[in-house]
Amino acid sequence: MSKTSQATPSPIMTVTPTPVDRSAARGDQFTGVCTQMHDFLVSDYALVSLPVTFDEEGGYLEWLGDAPKQADKTAWIATEFRVYTRAEVTTSMVALAGFREHANKAFQEKVPSYTSTEAHVLDMLSHEHEVLNGNNKGNTRNLVAHGMGNIRKFIRDNRSDIAVMAAVQKGEAYYAANDPTQTAYEYEGQARKVWVRNEFNVRDAKTGKVVTSWFEGKTTDEKKAMKKAAVITRTPSTDVQATPTPTATVEAPVQEEVKLTVATISSMPSITVRNIAKDKGAPQSVYTGAGATMNSITWLMTNNHVSLS
């Protein structure tokens, strides 16, 4: 090969994996991938390798592979990739734009309803968005990454509702026996968790807010046992006898009785001595009138309420 010859460039655009905080908001997580898709459509590449899948209905992104362990979440690096054509990327983003009315206001304003071509998608991926409220205020994201979070939630919630309705029709839904609303759930584990919440969450008696969640201070085995004890049915009950919700109460501190001796009672104020005699059951003539203090001490000693030491 001559010195002037060049290697044929790869038809696949690849990206160098960078750490992603999988515990961050999805808008922050996927901004890098959205930027990569933008760069791909600007380029002459025919294919791109990305660490994500596109939802078939809504076009939103999901990471490839298993969710990382807790210790690896804040600096996760993708190891699985999938190759996409320009048409596949465009089609997915057009599908996402089709749900624009369920995204944030900025997405609706900058992504037109007629989005349908590669050029439209390129423009769609060109916008940045600054988060104005909440815990992530001040973060700058790709607008698509930001907007698709709400779209994803809408689609997933809708699918969940459809799945639950199908389960109810087939008689395969699950219900928590102590749930006054008798809400249907697609999965048994969901109903068990509701039963445990109703049974063991402690709520403020006035506000009704949870002050102690059922799992607090519990070991893994204890939590499993609590869920296992849940009473689950396959048909809704019309007469639910819900377990009274535990409420947080402030208990008065236990007042430890002071040991009465001749020394302690002799050092007490006269009114205190007379009140002690009254509380112990002395006749009114003892703790009132002339000589009431001495009479009270004498009565307390005679009735074994005061010891010598």
Side-chain angles (χ1 to χ4, degrees):
M1 182 182 293
S2 67
K3 292 182 180 180
T4 57
S5 65
Q6 296 180 349
T8 303
S10 169
I12 301 176
M13 179 180 178
T14 58
V15 295
T16 301
T18 56
V20 175
D21 184 356
R22 290 286 295 272
S23 65
R26 293 178 66 84
D28 294 324
Q29 290 187 43
F30 289 102
T31 284
V33 179
C34 289
T35 300
Q36 291 160 6
M37 290 192 296
H38 170 273
D39 294 346
F40 166 59
L41 294 180
V42 169
S43 74
D44 293 327
Y45 283 99
L47 304 168
V48 65
S49 175
L50 297 170
V52 298
T53 60
F54 296 101
D55 183 76
E56 291 185 3
E57 179 184 7
Y60 58 80
L61 310 183
E62 297 286 6
W63 294 114
L64 277 169
D66 297 329
K69 295 180 180 179
Q70 189 64 37
D72 301 326
K73 274 191 172 183
T74 57
W76 175 80
I77 296 180
T79 56
E80 296 185 37
F81 294 82
R82 189 169 295 176
V83 175
Y84 296 98
T85 65
R86 302 177 74 91
E88 287 173 327
V89 171
T90 298
T91 299
S92 296
M93 291 297 96
V94 169
L96 185 73
F99 289 90
R100 57 188 292 280
E101 69 271 19
H102 303 290
N104 63 308
K105 185 178 180 181
F107 188 97
Q108 294 178 35
E109 291 176 346
K110 295 183 179 179
V111 178
S113 58
Y114 56 77
T115 299
S116 58
T117 67
E118 183 177 308
H120 292 155
V121 170
L122 179 59
D123 180 71
M124 172 179 169
L125 289 164
S126 300
H127 302 290
E128 289 188 338
H129 176 76
E130 181 181 349
V131 181
L132 301 177
N133 301 295
N135 295 332
N136 299 300
K137 182 178 180 180
N139 287 10
T140 299
R141 303 167 173 169
N142 182 282
L143 180 63
V144 170
H146 180 73
M148 72 179 179
N150 288 346
I151 294 174
R152 175 179 182 269
K153 184 179 186 305
F154 169 78
I155 293 174
R156 287 166 63 91
D157 287 350
N158 191 49
R159 286 176 185 163
S160 177
D161 291 343
I162 293 172
V164 170
M165 285 189 288
V168 170
Q169 290 174 349
K170 295 177 183 178
E172 298 176 353
Y174 294 89
Y175 303 83
N178 64 355
D179 179 12
T181 66
Q182 284 298 279
T183 300
Y185 295 94
E186 182 183 5
Y187 300 109
E188 180 179 350
Q190 295 171 313
R192 286 189 178 278
K193 189 171 288 187
V194 169
W195 188 93
V196 171
R197 288 190 193 122
N198 289 336
E199 193 76 10
F200 298 111
N201 276 359
V202 177
R203 298 178 180 274
D204 184 273
K206 292 183 178 180
T207 66
K209 293 182 178 180
V210 175
V211 293
T212 305
S213 296
W214 65 273
F215 53 82
E216 291 184 42
K218 301 294 189 299
T219 65
T220 299
D221 289 341
E222 287 172 335
K223 287 184 282 189
K224 287 181 179 178
M226 293 165 78
K227 290 180 184 178
K228 186 177 180 179
V231 181
I232 304 303
T233 64
R234 300 305 291 268
T235 56
S237 173
T238 56
D239 184 26
V240 178
Q241 299 297 321
T243 303
T245 302
T247 55
T249 56
V250 179
E251 297 183 3
V254 176
Q255 297 294 330
E256 201 172 315
E257 186 172 342
V258 178
K259 181 180 180 181
L260 294 176
T261 66
V262 173
T264 57
I265 202 165
S266 298
S267 64
M268 291 179 179
S270 295
I271 186 64
T272 302
V273 174
R274 294 198 299 271
N275 284 337
I276 290 174
K278 178 182 178 180
D279 292 341
K280 297 293 185 182
Q284 186 175 358
S285 59
V286 171
Y287 57 82
T288 60
T293 302
M294 185 54 66
N295 291 339
S296 294
I297 293 175
T298 301
W299 184 89
L300 289 168
M301 293 179 66
T302 302
N303 288 275
N304 299 316
H305 295 300
V306 175
S307 62
L308 295 176
S309 61

